[in-house]
Amino acid sequence: MSTHSTGQNRITDADLAKTALAAGDPTGWFEQLYTAAEKGEAVIPWARNEPNPELAAWAAAHPGDGRRALVVGSAFGDDPEVLAAAGYATTGFDVAATAVAAAQRRFPDSAVDYRVADLLAPPPEWHHAFDLVVEIINVQAMPRDVRPKAIASVAGFLAPGGTALVCEVAEESVDTAGGPPWPLTRAEVESFAQDGVRLVSIEPIRDNTRWWAEFTR
Ligand SMILES: C[S@@+](CC[C@H](N)C(=O)[O-])C[C@H]1O[C@@H](n2cnc3c(N)ncnc32)[C@H](O)[C@@H]1O
């Protein structure tokens, strides 16, 4: 996920992550990266300007009909917007305030409730509160020691009868020496099934470079 530097002074996600992690801060570098990108000093490597294609296909086949959806790590808003368009009452949250503000600027008439919140310390009222929970390539950007907490939060959001969709980079598909992503093993993906959450399906996608998994409670 490291940025492809186009200039010698470019700030990279790998550098920021390394410094933040050394200081014991697993997520502080995201705000730094978004801030640097707004100044033209960095590139956001995951910015696609379009929703995740597997999520878009899933949403087209599963209309929301007003059900509640939560998008973890909402970044610039493409994924929450596709769910809102499919009829979900959608909340998108990100730990980086600059990303949340950028999503709100991009979609000024949005029905999405954008929030600044931390997956590692989420609002208690989100517990078991969402019929659809979407976790796409966020946990893989967190160091392994905080992963169990992040995964427990995701599982905790899911309401009875709901669906959680999880997509992460698969282990051994990338060189992790330079920084994030830190891919997940199949067992790590399966570990979202906890606290009453059950695995429905898991499959490798995109030539085995990613996991796509569905869960229910
Ligand atoms: C690799 S990006 C993925 C963004 C988006 N989900 C996507 O598929 O493109 C990770 C996102 O998660 C956010 N993030 C990282 N740690 C977080 C945390 N503890 N709580 C909430 N969001 C977090 C980052 O700010 C960033 O926007």
Side-chain angles (χ1 to χ4, degrees):
M1 198 183 293
S2 300
T3 53
H4 301 289
S5 175
T6 54
Q8 286 192 333
N9 297 323
R10 270 289 155 91
I11 295 168
T12 70
D13 56 335
D15 289 342
L16 291 176
K18 192 173 160 190
T19 306
L21 267 49
D25 179 0
T27 55
W29 62 271
F30 290 100
E31 176 61 24
Q32 294 170 356
L33 187 67
Y34 281 112
T35 305
E38 288 211 339
K39 291 191 255 173
E41 296 169 356
V43 172
I44 304 293
W46 50 84
R48 301 178 300 264
N49 285 323
E50 59 185 7
N52 170 285
E54 290 86 8
L55 178 66
W58 192 94
H62 300 82
D65 296 329
R67 284 189 284 268
R68 302 153 300 173
L70 181 68
V71 176
V72 180
S74 47
F76 291 130
D78 298 278
D79 288 351
E81 292 298 328
V82 82
L83 294 183
Y88 289 89
T90 306
T91 299
F93 78 99
D94 203 290
V95 76
T98 297
V100 171
Q104 289 170 319
R105 273 199 312 274
R106 271 185 84 204
F107 302 103
D109 301 321
S110 177
V112 174
D113 180 15
Y114 285 104
R115 302 279 190 94
V116 178
D118 186 354
L119 181 62
L120 301 176
E125 64 269 24
W126 288 359
H127 193 65
H128 290 198
F130 294 93
D131 307 301
L132 176 63
V133 177
V134 174
E135 156 48 38
I136 296 181
I137 65 167
N138 306 302
V139 170
Q140 63 172 49
M142 298 180 185
R144 291 199 162 83
D145 56 339
V146 301
R147 236 174 230 182
K149 197 168 187 178
I151 290 172
S153 290
V154 174
F157 295 143
L158 191 60
T163 296
L165 303 176
V166 173
C167 178
E168 311 285 354
V169 164
E171 197 176 42
E172 294 173 7
S173 66
V174 293
D175 172 11
T176 60
W182 298 289
L184 274 74
T185 63
R186 183 185 184 108
E188 279 182 299
V189 176
E190 289 177 347
S191 77
F192 283 80
Q194 56 175 276
D195 176 35
V197 171
R198 301 187 311 280
L199 178 67
V200 174
S201 63
I202 178 168
E203 58 174 328
I205 59 170
R206 303 191 192 182
D207 288 331
N208 297 324
T209 58
R210 286 203 187 181
W211 295 113
W212 180 268
E214 298 192 19
F215 301 84
T216 191
R217 179 190 295 286

